[in-house]
Amino acid sequence: MTQTPLEAAQKYETRCDTIYESFMNGQNKQFMEQIKDYKVDVGFLINFVKNYYGEVQSNEVARRYAVLAQAQLEIPRW
């Protein structure tokens, strides 16, 4: 029995899945650290979420990433 690429991919958890799990669990610090540590392009992550979890979820990921990234920029550095 042959599988489609999507069916085959669903057997494995990717880095994007791991990052998305952190997002869904509300672990903002881990969410941001994983994006940086895994060197995942944010645009790729958003498209991945859109393709596998839906457009509403991808919009939420983009929104939260923007808020958290802005907050990191506003942290005073001494």
Side-chain angles (χ1 to χ4, degrees):
M1 181 173 149
T2 12
Q3 293 180 327
T4 67
L6 177 60
E7 291 170 334
Q10 288 174 338
K11 289 184 178 181
Y12 304 100
E13 184 169 305
T14 66
R15 289 179 174 178
C16 287
D17 288 315
T18 304
I19 294 169
Y20 182 70
E21 268 183 43
S22 296
F23 165 78
M24 290 301 295
N25 293 332
Q27 300 167 330
N28 293 337
K29 184 176 180 183
Q30 184 176 356
F31 170 69
M32 294 299 282
E33 287 174 355
Q34 286 173 333
I35 291 172
K36 186 175 74 174
D37 293 346
Y38 294 160
K39 297 179 182 172
V40 173
D41 179 77
V42 175
F44 178 84
L45 175 65
I46 291 168
N47 282 324
F48 174 88
V49 172
K50 182 179 179 181
N51 290 334
Y52 289 96
Y53 300 101
E55 189 167 355
V56 172
Q57 290 302 103
S58 71
N59 291 340
E60 285 298 310
V61 168
R63 185 191 63 75
R64 187 176 307 168
Y65 176 80
V67 168
L68 294 171
Q70 183 66 37
Q72 285 183 351
L73 291 175
E74 293 176 358
I75 294 173
R77 302 189 193 274
W78 304 102

